[in-house]
Each structure stands twice: as structure tokens, then as C-alpha cells.
Amino acid sequence: MTLSGLYVPLITPFDRSGAVALDALETIAHQALDAGARGLVALGTTAEPSSLTTAEQQAVMDVTSRVCHERHAQLLVGANTAQALDALADRPEVVAALTVVPPFVRPGEEGVLAYFTRLAAESPVPLVVYDIPHRTGQYLSAATLHRLAAVPGVMGLKYSPGGINADTIALFAQPSDLAILGGDDTFISPLLALGAHGGILASAHLATGGFVRLIEAWHTGDTTTARLMGGRLAALSTALFAEPNPTVIKAVLHAQGQIPTPDVRLPLLPAHPHTTKTALDAVTAVARPLATQRG
């Protein structure tokens, strides 16, 4: 099994009582797959997992597992500890765990390698390493990422370096069996141009089909479509990440009538109305025919 294409890291919608809106979650999950997403991510950082109770997390898992079973879709799950990984053993729909580089402690690159080697050896499912140094505080070089690719049980990388740098070029220059999924939404087009297999993109809650089309365009060599779509989708992602994720995404989905409230849980605060309006305009722009940009 390989990881490629678009994976949507699902939000956790809340109803007016503050409870998880499971019906809305199920609808959003189906809509993402209807639009061409290869799979879903449950309990990723976009889902606000640290603010969910254990019972809420289990309910989210029940919904996403059922949807992926019904749709024969791939399910990734955010799981960062041995205990969380063990809980996935009875979830046959889960193809991999999305596991972040240990944040805050900054163990060094050798420590990260040792950590993932042990975690992967004990995990009932393969790991997709989530490299996001501007949040974890731990930078990983291209050489270390290639060494991670050789760790048994590590099948992929969610690559979110915060831009394109020399190590990005070095990472893609050397062939590897590691599935590299772009995680910086704004930079997904250049990452695909360099050779990324796909993306785990919160922005793809909106314009899901556009992101699917972007990935397919780069993979098939349709560079004209890829460049035009890449520009539009980068503008959309910039608007959606103008405030902490997933506040703007939730505000836009609520404005579109797709979720009952735009609510997030502390420490997040709701998106500003002006930010929401800018993002809604960007969604509209993505939907325009590409030919209008060529003229």
C-alpha cells in the first residue's frame, strides 16, 4: 500500500450546546471523499484533539472509521504515544498513524531517530512522521529524514518545513521509498513540482476538488493547469491560515452552512469576521474557470 494524493485532516465541528457535531463530521468526511480525496485524517492537529475528552475522541474515531470502511478509503489517525498507537490495533480501517516529532523537548536528530525507531517497532500500524519544526522546535536535516525513511515501520512523511529551502531540494533529489506528503498548504504546489506524492492539507476542507486537480496536474505533467491552480490555492490557503488553524476554516464552513457553529475551544478564539470574508472571497476565486486567468 502506498500513500499518495489528497488527505483531508478533518476538523471537529461543535453544535450549539458545545458537543461534537457527529452528523456534521460524517457529512464533511463523505464530501471530501466525494470530491476525490484519497483518504482522511482523524484527530490530527486540525481536529483540536487536546481539547477533546477521551469519549469525544472515540466518537470521532467511530465516525471516521465507519466512513472510511464504507468508502474503501484510507484513514490516518493522529497518535503520538505508545498508548495512543496501541488503541489503533482494533481499527482495521487505519492504514497509518500520523505521529509528530516530539515537541518542546528538542532531543536532537539522533534522539528523534531513536524515538521513532522504538515507536515504530512497537506500533500496530505504520507511522507517518510529522515534521513541522516551527511548532516542535526540532529541526531535521534532509540526511536525517532519509535515515528515517529506512526505519522499519515508517511509511511516510508529512513534510511541513515552513517553506522551500536547501534541505527541501536535497530531500527530493535523492530517491527514496518514503511517501512524502506536503503539509504546508501554501507551498503544496512547489512541493508537488519537486516530487511530493500528495498532501495532508487542512485547506482542502474548501475547494477539495481543486486540490485534487492540482495534485493530478503535477503528477501527469499538466504544468499549465498546475501553475494556475497552484496560485489560486496558495491564495486560499494564505487566507485560511491568517489566524490559528482551524479557526478560519471553521468560520468559512459555518458561513457556507456546512457546520452548525464556527466554534473552537480554548486556547483558540473564533476568527475575525474580516478574515472570514477574505477567505470566502478566496473560495469564490478558486471556483472561477481557469480560462479567465489566461486572458
Side-chain angles (χ1 to χ4, degrees), residues 8-9 18 26 46 67-68 70 75 103 116 123 131 144 149 168-169 187 205 223 242 249 272:
V8 180
E26 184 167 359
T46 300
V67 170
C68 287
E70 293 172 357
L75 178 62
F116 279 113
S123 174
D131 177 32
T144 296
T168 305
I169 306 304
F187 298 101
H205 282 85
T223 56
I249 291 172
H272 190 278

Side-chain angles (χ1 to χ4, degrees), residues 1 4 11 33 82 105 109-110 128 130 136 187 221 232 269 286:
M1 186 205 65
S4 64
I11 62 161
L33 297 174
V105 293
E109 294 183 271
E110 293 298 327
V128 173
Y130 187 4
T136 65
F187 298 101
R232 290 186 182 189
L269 297 173
V286 170

Side-chain angles (χ1 to χ4, degrees), residues 2-294:
T2 59
L3 299 175
S4 64
L6 175 66
Y7 297 81
V8 180
L10 296 172
I11 62 161
T12 303
F14 301 118
D15 64 24
R16 298 189 184 281
S17 74
V20 176
L22 295 174
D23 288 347
L25 175 64
E26 184 167 359
T27 297
I28 291 169
H30 277 295
Q31 288 175 343
L33 297 174
D34 288 341
R38 179 77 179 276
L40 306 173
V41 180
L43 302 178
T45 52
T46 300
E48 304 170 71
S50 63
S51 72
L52 302 179
T53 66
T54 300
E56 288 173 332
Q57 291 179 3
Q58 289 300 311
V60 167
M61 281 294 301
D62 289 342
V63 169
T64 52
S65 295
R66 181 172 67 251
V67 170
C68 287
H69 175 75
E70 293 172 357
R71 302 296 298 273
H72 304 287
Q74 295 180 347
L75 178 62
L76 280 62
V77 178
N80 300 309
T81 65
Q83 182 180 11
L85 290 166
D86 286 344
L88 302 179
D90 297 326
R91 301 276 188 178
E93 297 79 17
V94 178
V95 299
L98 181 61
T99 307
V100 73
V101 171
F104 190 77
V105 293
R106 300 178 69 183
E109 294 183 271
E110 293 298 327
V112 170
L113 280 165
Y115 173 79
F116 279 113
T117 298
R118 173 176 289 183
L119 209 59
E122 298 173 350
S123 174
V125 298
L127 304 184
V128 173
V129 174
Y130 187 4
D131 177 32
I132 183 165
H134 61 283
R135 290 187 182 272
T136 65
Q138 177 61 64
Y139 172 78
L140 298 180
S141 65
T144 296
L145 293 174
H146 281 299
R147 291 173 67 191
L148 271 172
V151 173
V154 172
M155 70 178 300
L157 171 69
K158 181 180 179 182
Y159 185 58
S160 304
I164 306 294
N165 55 41
D167 265 312
T168 305
I169 306 304
L171 174 64
F172 286 101
Q174 180 177 329
S176 169
D177 292 332
L178 188 70
I180 302 176
L181 302 172
D184 281 324
D185 296 36
T186 306
F187 298 101
I188 186 57
S189 191
L191 287 174
L192 289 165
L194 287 168
H197 295 77
I200 299 176
L201 306 170
S203 299
H205 282 85
L206 292 311
T208 313
F211 283 99
V212 170
R213 188 177 179 187
L214 175 69
I215 293 170
E216 291 177 345
W218 279 120
H219 286 175
T220 59
D222 182 1
T223 56
T224 299
T225 297
R227 287 167 181 158
L228 290 171
M229 287 301 302
R232 290 186 182 189
L233 293 171
L236 172 60
S237 294
T238 299
L240 293 173
F241 279 81
E243 297 186 45
N245 185 50
T247 58
V248 183
I249 291 172
K250 281 190 162 185
V252 172
L253 290 173
H254 175 63
Q256 293 180 335
Q258 296 194 57
I259 57 176
T261 74
D263 295 351
V264 290
R265 290 180 177 172
L266 291 172
L268 296 174
L269 297 173
H272 190 278
H274 175 73
T275 308
T276 304
K277 173 63 165 56
T278 300
L280 283 164
D281 290 343
V283 173
T284 301
V286 170
R288 296 189 186 113
L290 288 179
T292 62
Q293 277 199 351
R294 294 192 180 101

